Amino acid sequence: MEWNIATLEELKDILWRCTACGNCKAAYNYGPPPEFGEICPAGAEFGFEGFMASKGKIAFARGILDGQLEWTDELLDAIYKCTVCAGCQNQCELDHKPFIPEIIEAMRRKAVQDGIGPMPTQKKIAQSMRSYNNPYQGPRRVRTDWTRPFKKAKKPIKDINKEPADILYYVGCTGAFNLPARGVPVATASLFQKLGLDFGILGENEICCGSTAMRIGDAEEFKRVAQSNLETFRMLHEERGVKTIVTSCAGCYRAIKKDYILSSEYDKMMDGIQVVHTVDLLNTLFKEGKLKFTGELPMKVTYHDPCHTGRHLTKFVIDKEGSQLWKGAYVGLNDEDCLYDVPREILRAIPGIELVEMERIRDNSYCCGGGGGVMTGYGDWAAKNASKRIEEGMQTGAEHMVSICPFCHYNLNEGSRRISSEMKLYDLVELLDQVISETDKA
Amino acid sequence: MLAKREDMILDELVSIVGKDNATAAKHIRYAYSYDLSFVKPKLPDYVVMATTVEQIQSIFRLANRDKIPVVPYTAGSNIGGLCIPEHGGILLDLKRMNKIIRIDTESHYAVIEPGVSHAQLAMELYKHNLRWSWPVGPPSASVSSNALCHGIGGMSGRYGLNSEEITSMEVVLPTGELVRVGSCAIQEDSWHSVLPLPQLDGLFKGWLGTSGVVTKMGVRVHPIPPILKVFTVSTRSIEDMTSYMVNLGNYEICDDLTAVSWWLSQVPIPYPYKPKPDAAPEWYCFGATNSWTQKEKEAREEIWQNVLDEEKKKGTSIEYADYPEEALKARTQLPSRIVGSTKNYTKMAGGGISWPGTFTPANKWAPVYNKWKEILIEHNLSPSVRATNYRGVHYGMLRAMIPFNKQSAEETENARHAIVECLKVDLDAGGIPYKPPVDFAAEINKRAHPGYLSLLKQVKKLLDPNDIMNTGKLGF
Ligand SMILES: Cc1cc2nc3c(=O)[nH]c(=O)nc-3n(C[C@H](O)[C@H](O)[C@H](O)COP(=O)(O)OP(=O)(O)OC[C@H]3O[C@@H](n4cnc5c(N)ncnc54)[C@H](O)[C@@H]3O)c2cc1C
Ligand code: SF4
Ligand code: SF4
């Protein structure tokens, strides 16, 4: 399987498209009313231009390429102090816009290739991937611990290794291994059962999607697991009748949707299989009238857009041939894959829920602070970022925050604890599970 | 073993601003070493982020003691290499001093710290239906830096340069001394005006950070009338356009009266040079007006129609014109991230922009533009030129926005040559460049009256006896 993952050298021409105008440093919309807000967690925390969004990150990339910057621990540290949240990308209008997160990750890939990256704490991830096929150093058998209540209640979840199913619920390592985030797979499976969906899980045979490895620059590890997953998906389609892969994890979703397509075999392997986020699936059922609410949740909430189900799914229109504008011109964007409206529509439909918005939302959402390997590499700072987001949520008068990503789930709850806030982060499925009961089977 | 001198200075800087706010790390210095312009990158020796006035004073006492150059910086988006440290030293990043201290909604002024960006101020002012003369630059750029550099905005046609909107200032001198100019000099909390005291604010405006560091600034802000009407015309020559703009400018009805050559009306500017289609007019002009009532708008329309009729009677090529929509938005929806992120200017070229930006009275626009056109086309660059009236017809701006491919040293040098050539033509016609990089400063000094140069040097010496501020930037 060939992979078309760009090296920093290959991005050289595109790098020179940055003007250093610094627009990427803050979020701003003309309005009226005009909207302004901090957008770069790294810039907000560390301040120097080098940390500031792409103006600084792109300077590093140029310096590394033209030999003016040599690897030092401090440079490495600055490159890894970025949540790859793509907030900066959203502000930029130049031709390298579509490639900004790619440039940051390509620097990390170079660091790993040159034997210096990732950060020491993140090296554990790489080691864990090799030993356990997940970034959490979790033994294989622990992967199914969350399913115990289902077994106990005599509602076992179908093992897709043994039985066919329409849907593969790809759980993801965070939901499976990260104790506080386990509520997400539990609620997802519970909900799927109540809705009578024909789904199964890979259980102990599930391996990491590779997202974390990719984000920290370990392309080799990513390729290894991604290739294995693509082969598994093909097999599941052919031998178990799987037509849909559903994931509740924003990281897995982005990886499968956006990173796996870099494989030369993607079209062949994924032929006949669609990949959706849980909320997409639920939205379809909702629209078909199959998602009926029996309970009520009198709760004022605010919604946090995860980077990986939002900005990261933007599709960019690039004039590759030079027929419209010029070769390589960034022409425009299409954000129809970005899950901005869907989760909000479902949330609003829940009886009793009142949704109030924060200032920075949708494509200008402020990252929870845990992405891009930051949660592992810089746990303290990740939680500090999350506290800022929780504070922003509190300013809306909401009691709780809702999201659709187990990373945000874990990190924002950490952030909340850090400032002793009452605000808790719920995954949307956790709320839905409370207001949909068994009798609502489709 | 004794620490190196450099390390001792870093230690002192750290003791002033804290360890997270001062660095000598190469990669951080590197990020501050370049900007969009043709000016060659140069690294500062230290980068320091100050958060209080006292810290800035301490930094200056240290710099003054050891004769270390200091370069103030807020966003570095000036397009003139102004924050590139000619002689290294301390790069003083002020973006963290970003408090909006006050918005006086009755007397219509705001008091801000240097790091307050256009985007930040726009959001806060809008809450009170107030505005500032927003430039077409990046929303993340600093309001006060813009005003200090004689910035130009969407209300310069009516109120003049943004530097004319400054009401009061607090400044740290290169010696570390704290001074105030304007009403705040007499009463701590009074920021409404620089008059009627002697206008000492001139000691700090237009010096591009070489005479002191402004730590607080009062600026006039204005209400936002609800009705926007933009008058758009085209002509086939700069002469015809000038005639129209001087005529309309007489009536002082426009907040912004600006003309752009065909090449600048394109989004983005063609790079390299592309001939204009014969059928297209060479100049487009928009006059943005804001009115409180329908009747006021109609009165402005009547004036404009009369001017148009008069110009037509003269037999000029003037026509009513549809201004390209995106370009019109760029002029009226400010501040704008689309425009500010340089999309209009450099997207086709690749990373570089510089300009001969000049104050040139309208009667010199035609001879200067016609010569610029020759020079630029010779260098295979588009004559993407803008002409703007300031404050009625008193004076005006003539500027060419020149994109270039920064990846190529040759193309960058080509742009630099062309721009400096253009500048000489303007200087010889009586124009004066603004936000001048060192190349420009040298050309200004060559032509300067000896008495002016001598006075300038004396004032600089008085304010900055050890020449530590932006050393080398003034071209002498
Ligand atoms: C695409 C584009 C379009 C632009 N259009 C316009 C326009 O229409 N009108 C216009 O006026 N400008 C324009 N600019 C230029 C620039 O963006 C503005 O002038 C901007 O406000 C400068 O702010 P800054 O924070 O980037 O200043 P910087 O570049 O950081 O600083 C500018 C100068 O001021 C000095 N300085 C900074 N802070 C202080 C301080 N506190 N005390 C003393 N000196 C200080 C610096 O040393 C430097 O010499 C444009 C720029 C771009 C990239
Ligand atoms: S990444 Fe884009 S927005 Fe940021 S400095 Fe470069 S050109 Fe400007
Ligand atoms: S990806 Fe996010 S954290 Fe990284 S530079 Fe961009 S805005 Fe900052």
Side-chain angles (χ1 to χ4, degrees), chain B residues 388-409:
Chain B
T388 293
N389 283 22
Y390 294 152
R391 247 183 163 166
V393 289
H394 295 305
Y395 55 120
M397 173 248 261
L398 195 68
R399 185 194 76 197
M401 219 30 171
I402 304 301
F404 52 90
N405 175 6
K406 260 200 125 165
Q407 195 175 0
S408 154

Side-chain angles (χ1 to χ4, degrees), chain A residues 195-257:
Chain A
L195 293 164
L197 300 179
D198 179 21
F199 76 102
I201 57 169
L202 279 159
E204 289 182 20
N205 289 333
E206 186 178 294
I207 65 166
C208 179
C209 68
S211 166
T212 312
M214 188 68 160
R215 305 285 83 83
I216 62 172
D218 196 342
E220 290 312 310
E221 235 355 84
F222 164 77
K223 286 193 254 180
R224 184 181 70 79
V225 290
Q227 170 155 348
S228 167
N229 274 324
L230 281 169
E231 282 158 6
T232 305
F233 297 161
R234 189 75 235 143
M235 180 279 287
L236 291 177
H237 178 68
E238 282 165 4
E239 295 172 23
R240 303 276 185 274
V242 167
K243 293 187 211 61
T244 306
I245 298 170
V246 188
T247 171
S248 314
C249 174
C252 303
Y253 185 60
R254 190 225 126 119
I256 302 172
K257 278 271 240 223

Side-chain angles (χ1 to χ4, degrees), chain B residues 72 74-79 82 135-137 142 145-146 151-152 208-209 212 214 435:
Chain B
T74 45
S77 72
N78 58 71
I79 325 197
L82 304 180
V136 290
S142 147
S145 300
N146 175 265
I152 304 115
L208 314 168
V214 172
K435 301 182 193 170

Side-chain angles (χ1 to χ4, degrees), chain A residues 24 39-43 51-54 57 81-89 100-101 104 108 311-312 367 381:
Chain A
C24 47
I39 196 68
C40 173
F51 293 97
M52 273 286 168
S54 310
K57 302 278 152 62
K81 274 178 176 158
C82 163
T83 62
V84 200
C85 69
C88 49
Q89 176 179 40
I100 290 173
I104 298 167
R108 294 178 174 189
R311 297 189 279 258
H312 274 251
C367 173
W381 171 45

Side-chain angles (χ1 to χ4, degrees), chain A residues 10 23 43 53 60-61 119 125 200 209 214-215 263 268 273 285 293 348 357 362 364 366 382 384 405 431 441:
Chain A
E10 284 163 345
N23 247 35
F60 294 165
M119 296 308 290
I125 296 181
C209 68
M214 188 68 160
R215 305 285 83 83
S263 148
K268 196 176 92 195
I273 311 172
L285 297 173
F293 301 103
R348 281 201 189 93
E357 294 280 14
R362 300 173 68 94
N364 278 336
Y366 193 64
K384 193 174 171 196
C405 167
L431 296 190
K441 257 184 194 160

Side-chain angles (χ1 to χ4, degrees), chain B residues 330-462:
Chain B
R331 300 291 166 197
T332 52
Q333 300 189 351
L334 293 173
S336 158
R337 107 178 181 212
I338 305 292
V339 188
S341 84
T342 53
K343 178 182 168 196
N344 289 31
Y345 298 125
T346 188
K347 195 162 186 266
M348 202 179 226
I353 331 174
S354 280
W355 57 22
T358 70
F359 290 179
T360 304
N363 63 357
K364 299 290 183 201
W365 286 350
V368 174
Y369 168 71
N370 290 326
K371 192 72 196 143
W372 279 12
K373 209 172 141 183
E374 275 174 32
I375 295 169
L376 292 168
I377 294 173
E378 221 172 83
H379 284 80
N380 206 14
L381 298 166
S382 291
S384 37
V385 176
R386 168 179 171 179
T388 293
N389 283 22
Y390 294 152
R391 247 183 163 166
V393 289
H394 295 305
Y395 55 120
M397 173 248 261
L398 195 68
R399 185 194 76 197
M401 219 30 171
I402 304 301
F404 52 90
N405 175 6
K406 260 200 125 165
Q407 195 175 0
S408 154
E410 202 183 318
E411 289 178 54
T412 307
E413 203 42 26
N414 176 54
R416 188 179 72 83
H417 269 294
I419 291 168
V420 175
E421 280 309 301
C422 286
L423 186 84
K424 288 180 188 167
V425 170
D426 185 76
L427 272 167
D428 291 339
I432 307 284
Y434 59 79
K435 301 182 193 170
V438 184
D439 281 296
F440 294 15
E443 294 296 331
I444 298 176
N445 294 347
K446 270 188 217 162
R447 291 160 180 80
H449 184 278
Y452 164 79
L453 262 189
S454 151
L455 177 63
L456 200 69
K457 285 178 185 169
Q458 288 177 55
V459 176
K460 169 78 174 156
K461 187 94 189 150
L462 174 81

Side-chain angles (χ1 to χ4, degrees), chain A residues 59-351:
Chain A
F60 294 165
R62 285 188 191 173
I64 291 168
L65 276 181
D66 65 17
Q68 297 203 42
L69 289 181
E70 279 166 19
W71 286 125
T72 60
D73 288 347
E74 282 175 306
L75 170 60
L76 191 71
D77 181 55
I79 290 171
Y80 279 95
K81 274 178 176 158
C82 163
T83 62
V84 200
C85 69
C88 49
Q89 176 179 40
N90 196 44
Q91 317 305 318
C92 180
E93 287 297 322
L94 277 289
D95 284 349
H96 64 302
K97 176 185 176 95
F99 305 93
I100 290 173
E102 195 63 42
I103 291 167
I104 298 167
E105 288 184 4
M107 268 195 288
R108 294 178 174 189
R109 290 197 283 272
K110 186 161 173 53
V112 171
Q113 232 176 14
D114 292 354
I116 178 152
M119 296 308 290
T121 42
Q122 293 166 336
K123 283 191 173 135
K124 282 194 204 131
I125 296 181
Q127 192 49 49
S128 173
M129 289 285 286
R130 275 182 274 277
S131 316
Y132 300 100
N133 272 324
N134 68 66
Y136 291 97
Q137 291 171 295
R140 236 169 99 140
R141 56 183 167 69
V142 177
R143 248 187 206 281
T144 52
D145 280 3
W146 66 271
T147 61
R148 276 192 204 134
F150 292 86
K151 275 184 212 137
K152 227 174 168 180
K154 302 264 181 304
K155 289 180 174 174
I157 299 165
K158 204 185 260 186
D159 179 352
I160 213 156
N161 301 293
K162 297 183 186 139
E163 294 174 78
D166 283 348
I167 299 171
L168 165 70
Y169 171 37
Y170 186 86
V171 178
C173 306
T174 307
F177 291 108
N178 187 318
L179 278 181
R182 269 192 196 162
V184 178
V186 171
T188 308
S190 157
L191 205 54
F192 284 4
Q193 285 189 341
K194 289 178 195 171
L195 293 164
L197 300 179
D198 179 21
F199 76 102
I201 57 169
L202 279 159
E204 289 182 20
N205 289 333
E206 186 178 294
I207 65 166
C208 179
C209 68
S211 166
T212 312
M214 188 68 160
R215 305 285 83 83
I216 62 172
D218 196 342
E220 290 312 310
E221 235 355 84
F222 164 77
K223 286 193 254 180
R224 184 181 70 79
V225 290
Q227 170 155 348
S228 167
N229 274 324
L230 281 169
E231 282 158 6
T232 305
F233 297 161
R234 189 75 235 143
M235 180 279 287
L236 291 177
H237 178 68
E238 282 165 4
E239 295 172 23
R240 303 276 185 274
V242 167
K243 293 187 211 61
T244 306
I245 298 170
V246 188
T247 171
S248 314
C249 174
C252 303
Y253 185 60
R254 190 225 126 119
I256 302 172
K257 278 271 240 223
K258 224 174 152 174
D259 296 324
Y260 284 21
I261 52 171
L262 300 172
S263 148
S264 57
E265 309 271 300
Y266 184 82
D267 288 346
K268 196 176 92 195
M269 303 299 254
M270 295 300 281
D271 187 31
I273 311 172
Q274 60 160 343
V275 185
V276 296
H277 190 278
T278 312
V279 297
D280 253 331
L281 182 78
L282 296 172
N283 187 44
T284 310
L285 297 173
F286 177 59
K287 290 212 165 113
E288 289 168 358
K290 292 176 185 159
L291 197 75
K292 293 201 188 96
F293 301 103
T294 46
E296 201 175 317
L297 276 178
M299 208 192 253
K300 194 169 177 179
V301 299
T302 189
Y303 180 74
H304 167 79
D305 294 272
C307 312
H308 283 164
T309 54
R311 297 189 279 258
H312 274 251
L313 298 179
T314 308
K315 282 189 187 141
F316 296 98
V317 186
I318 300 167
D319 188 355
K320 288 202 182 96
E321 315 303 320
S323 52
Q324 269 174 282
L325 293 173
W326 55 86
K327 233 176 164 178
Y330 154 64
V331 181
L333 57 78
N334 171 342
D335 65 1
E336 67 189 18
D337 280 353
C338 305
L339 295 172
Y340 298 135
D341 292 319
V342 167
R344 288 182 168 82
E345 277 168 30
I346 302 179
L347 246 185
R348 281 201 189 93
I350 299 175

